[in-house]
Amino acid sequence: MSRTEVPPRTAKAVRVAAGDLVRVIDVDGGQVGDVFAFAGTGTELTEHHSAAHTRAGIDRLFPAVGESFVTDRRRPILTLVEDTSPGGHDMLIPACDPARYAALGAPGHRSCAANLREALAAEGLGFTGPTPQPINVFMRVLVGEDGRLHWLTANSRPGDAVTLRAEMDCVVVVSACPQDLVRISDAGLSPLAIETVHTGGTRS
């Protein structure tokens, strides 16, 4: 098993093989994480996890344990195999980006969109397409009866984790979301961690 620390406001990328387990851990509690997944491990990435295709495939807003996230080519890429958190996660909201912070009056603020590119570049990887809509772990966005979205503060506890099984060789990026103008994370930003259980490329 290997462990990668993700400091607040930053992101890290890990390469995993089919069958490996990827555990995203909320170290101190109350911290939202943006998770991205790209098929393959080549230097130029194209196929990626798609929130829209996943919602269509599972007929729900977020997978239950045992269900898979799929790519923009409708292929399973990750399966949710365990969730020790209270279960609040989101696949409706896009990654925060420079335009979002400029609109909030904070130009130059760090963002998950920029974190994604930095983390991939640090591993010698490139992605030139639009920022994929992430898997927002520990993020609570409720849909009211009137269709309005309600942004709530994360209620994950220290050590809570989401465990994903890779269904193909892929690159997983985790950003410890830097959003501190809208209180989606608890007071103060904190780190996340990525634990990878390598299975030698054999499905578990």
Side-chain angles (χ1 to χ4, degrees):
M1 183 180 73
S2 60
R3 183 180 173 101
T4 301
E5 303 295 334
V6 185
R9 302 174 183 265
T10 71
K12 297 291 184 181
V14 295
R15 291 178 171 90
V16 295
D20 287 352
L21 298 179
V22 180
R23 184 171 296 114
V24 182
I25 304 168
D26 189 353
V27 177
D28 295 332
Q31 175 62 47
V32 167
D34 286 32
V35 179
F36 306 88
F38 297 86
T41 55
T43 57
E44 290 299 325
L45 305 172
T46 54
E47 184 180 1
H48 56 80
H49 159 260
S50 169
H53 291 84
T54 298
R55 291 193 302 268
I58 62 175
D59 292 324
R60 67 171 79 231
L61 293 178
F62 197 88
V65 170
E67 294 181 333
S68 294
F69 303 87
V70 302
T71 72
D72 52 337
R73 299 179 190 174
R74 301 184 188 271
R75 298 198 299 160
I77 186 168
L78 298 170
T79 296
L80 180 62
V81 296
E82 186 180 23
D83 183 3
T84 64
S85 79
H89 310 291
D90 166 74
M91 280 199 317
L92 292 175
I93 305 303
C96 58
D97 54 29
R100 170 70 161 152
Y101 290 111
L104 292 172
H109 196 287
R110 291 197 64 84
S111 70
C112 286
N115 284 352
L116 167 65
R117 311 286 172 163
E118 291 177 6
L120 291 175
E123 295 295 319
L125 301 169
F127 178 70
T128 57
T131 302
Q133 186 176 351
I135 301 165
N136 295 312
V137 294
F138 314 125
M139 182 174 180
R140 295 196 298 155
V141 176
L142 301 185
V143 181
E145 291 184 2
D146 59 356
R148 292 191 63 84
L149 301 179
H150 301 275
W151 299 55
L152 306 180
T153 302
N155 62 354
S156 45
R157 302 150 303 200
D160 278 350
V162 171
T163 303
L164 308 164
R165 183 180 65 230
E167 301 300 338
M168 60 175 74
D169 294 353
C170 59
V171 176
V172 176
V173 179
V174 177
S175 175
C177 184
Q179 176 62 272
D180 54 4
L181 304 179
V182 177
R183 193 175 170 184
I184 56 171
S185 292
D186 207 352
L189 301 177
S190 57
L192 298 174
I194 310 167
E195 286 184 351
T196 306
V197 179
H198 301 285
T199 64
T202 302
R203 284 286 303 271
S204 59

